Amino acid sequence: MTADAYRPLDAASLPARLGDLPALRAQAGDPATWQVREVGDGNLNLVFIVEGATGGVVVKQALPYVRLVGDSWPLGLQRSWFEYNALTRQQARDPGSVPAVHHFDRDQAMVVMDYLDGHVILRHSLMAGERHPGLGAFLGRFCARTLFRGSGLAMAEPDRKADIALFAGNTELCDITESLVFTDPWREAPLNRFTPALAPLVAQLRADPGLKIATQRLKTAFITRAETLLHGDLHTGSVMVRGDSARVIDPEFAVYGPMGFDVGMLIANVLMAFLAQAGHEAAPGARDTFRDWLLTVVRDIWTGFESHFTSLWHTERRGILYPDSLFEDQDQPDASGLACAGVITGIWRDALGFAGCEMHRRILGLAHIAEYDRIADETLRARCEAQGLILGRALLLGQDHVAGLDALFDLTRSAARRDAA
Ligand code: SR1
Ligand code: MG
């Protein structure tokens, strides 16, 4: 198949087309036994689950257009090359946190990877009110390990520069983020949509120059501050869970950027899950303890990130940044600790700003989230979304003044008390 020109797969012909691949046979057994279904519910790709006599495997193939929109929006196939490279780096930096890759075919834009049996998309699980022990700790550790180990704090500089160059080629997916996350929500754009009752609030947001300046400062950071290899799209649709097991998937938006981007996107999505609970609970207040749990997930993400990052700082700081020779070797360990705390504070502030962008774009832009979209009662949906916009604005305008988790939770609970669009 490698030599063939690109052709999209379909469930019926997949066994004939991929049946000779040793990597697939090793996982799923004799192709005659394969059951194939296409399950992609993301915005971009085909995703097949192949189950056979000896197990299962996932085959993910890029389409030459944006699936969410159709072939009127062409999109290059090379995103699968960036996804493959990101997955292998994440696997090395946080082993077991992502599906293992069994085969990659660049011509077919196809990655064959672990089938995560019984796992579901975290976003759907949070909508259903399911808890996952250890989730926040897992995600915080994933962020710390991948962000630290992909940065100039840890990597040999020639390797880091080579990776910056490699992932700088992911221009089309970056362009999506630059437009959809950092620009379109605050202007009229053809593919934007929002719940009509939000119109007065949207007009207010778009009329606020301070808000737009904040978003453009963050966009500047995104395109200029090549601090580390980002997942690039780390929302709750990019995490799969089953009980206390979790995996991060879908790093096709990977690029070098500011550390706070991944952390902020993640936190924003858990906070939106919090704010959308009113649209999914059986009666008002029925999900209050689940709401509390969601905030503990945010707490665990951040404290897990902070503690793992700090520990990596003291044990794996072998890059050119903040070298030992300036601190520990000169008997100034306290200065090193201080420097680490300063870096973490910067990540926190960035994360809050990026979280604000993510909340606004999921309510006002093209790519919405199921938590809000599936609230059938439009008045209730508008109320939940307005709360997201209010919190997003508070984070965008106040990113330097939200002192810590408790202040973030106060803002969140205060937004949740707003009872109209
Ligand atoms: C056109 S792609 C829209 C969104 O889907 C992806 O999951 C990313 O979040 C992107 O912004
Ligand atoms: Mg995705």
Side-chain angles (χ1 to χ4, degrees):
M1 167 158 188
T2 311
D4 292 349
Y6 169 84
R7 265 188 306 144
L9 291 157
D10 59 66
S13 65
L14 187 145
R17 287 185 61 194
L18 304 186
D20 287 339
L21 281 179
L24 261 92
R25 280 177 174 257
Q27 298 300 315
D30 182 348
T33 67
W34 294 359
Q35 303 283 325
V36 184
R37 58 207 152 98
E38 205 278 318
V39 295
D41 73 343
N43 294 332
L44 299 179
N45 306 296
L46 294 170
V47 181
F48 300 91
I49 293 174
V50 180
E51 289 183 279
T54 57
V57 78
V58 161
V59 177
K60 179 172 176 182
Q61 188 183 37
L63 283 164
Y65 54 83
V66 174
R67 186 174 184 167
L68 172 68
V69 176
D71 54 15
S72 61
W73 185 345
L75 192 63
L77 297 171
Q78 57 276 15
R79 62 186 185 273
S80 132
W81 165 244
F82 297 110
E83 173 158 9
Y84 163 69
N85 277 287
L87 273 174
T88 50
R89 282 159 182 73
Q90 290 167 343
Q91 186 67 264
R93 290 169 187 161
D94 189 14
S97 63
V98 299
V101 173
H102 299 290
H103 179 76
F104 174 64
D105 184 327
R106 195 167 177 177
D107 296 321
Q108 297 302 325
M110 178 184 86
V111 188
V112 179
M113 61 191 123
D114 279 346
Y115 168 45
L116 304 173
D117 193 11
H119 287 65
V120 296
I121 294 288
L122 174 60
R123 186 181 300 292
H124 298 299
S125 195
L126 298 183
M127 263 191 297
E130 304 285 337
R131 295 170 205 222
H132 298 278
L135 175 67
F138 164 81
L139 292 169
R141 187 176 59 229
F142 173 82
C143 287
R145 288 181 173 170
T146 57
L147 301 180
F148 187 95
R149 290 175 171 159
S151 79
L153 292 165
M155 287 180 81
E157 197 52 15
D159 296 344
R160 190 185 73 89
K161 288 201 162 72
D163 269 11
I164 290 180
L166 190 161
F167 287 98
N170 200 4
T171 51
E172 278 189 296
L173 270 67
C174 285
D175 175 56
I176 290 179
T177 301
E178 288 144 14
S179 302
L180 266 49
V181 178
F182 290 114
T183 315
D184 289 352
W186 305 277
R187 67 178 180 188
E188 302 262 344
L191 295 172
N192 278 353
R193 66 185 168 90
F194 57 80
T195 305
L198 295 173
L201 178 53
V202 176
Q204 247 184 55
L205 299 175
R206 289 186 181 158
D208 182 346
L211 195 64
K212 288 190 271 195
I213 290 167
T215 66
Q216 295 315 290
R217 230 184 16 243
L218 288 154
K219 182 160 66 169
T220 307
F222 180 74
I223 69 167
T224 59
R225 283 182 23 212
E227 292 173 357
T228 194
L229 179 62
L230 301 175
H231 176 285
D233 196 28
L234 192 52
H235 53 83
T236 49
S238 297
V239 179
M240 298 201 72
V241 286
R242 174 190 183 176
D244 62 2
S245 164
R247 298 284 186 285
V248 175
I249 60 169
D250 279 5
E252 63 209 316
F253 284 76
V255 70
Y256 265 74
M259 298 205 183
F261 184 79
D262 279 356
V263 179
M265 270 215 166
L266 197 52
I267 288 178
N269 277 272
V270 181
L271 293 178
M272 285 188 284
F274 176 99
L275 294 173
Q277 287 302 312
H280 301 283
E281 61 193 348
R287 293 263 187 103
D288 277 354
T289 56
F290 186 66
R291 286 181 174 86
D292 292 342
W293 180 78
L294 286 170
L295 295 189
T296 71
V297 172
V298 174
R299 186 178 292 284
D300 291 349
I301 290 173
W302 179 253
T303 56
F305 172 76
E306 208 176 13
S307 70
H308 284 279
F309 191 94
T310 303
S311 143
L312 292 166
W313 179 280
H314 293 297
T315 55
E316 292 189 15
R317 213 172 75 252
R318 290 188 276 275
I320 62 163
L321 295 178
Y322 299 87
D324 280 1
S325 54
L326 294 181
F327 298 100
E328 286 82 353
D329 295 355
Q330 295 188 27
D331 209 18
Q332 292 178 327
D334 293 352
S336 167
L338 212 59
C340 177
V343 168
I344 290 175
T345 300
I347 296 170
W348 169 255
R349 289 184 179 152
D350 288 346
L352 295 178
F354 291 128
C357 288
E358 171 70 356
M359 299 179 91
H360 279 196
R361 75 96 167 208
R362 294 296 188 183
I363 297 165
L364 305 179
L366 163 71
H368 284 221
I369 54 175
E371 284 94 327
Y372 290 134
D373 275 0
R374 292 198 187 166
I375 303 175
D377 174 341
E378 210 170 299
T379 308
L380 180 56
R381 187 190 333 131
R383 189 192 312 154
C384 294
E385 290 176 327
Q387 294 168 356
L389 293 175
I390 296 298
L391 179 57
R393 175 169 64 186
L395 298 181
L396 279 162
L397 296 177
Q399 66 174 125
D400 296 337
H401 310 288
V402 181
L405 285 162
D406 291 333
L408 174 63
F409 297 159
D410 285 349
L411 283 173
T412 306
R413 290 192 185 282
S414 140
R417 282 192 288 274
R418 184 188 162 109
D419 64 4

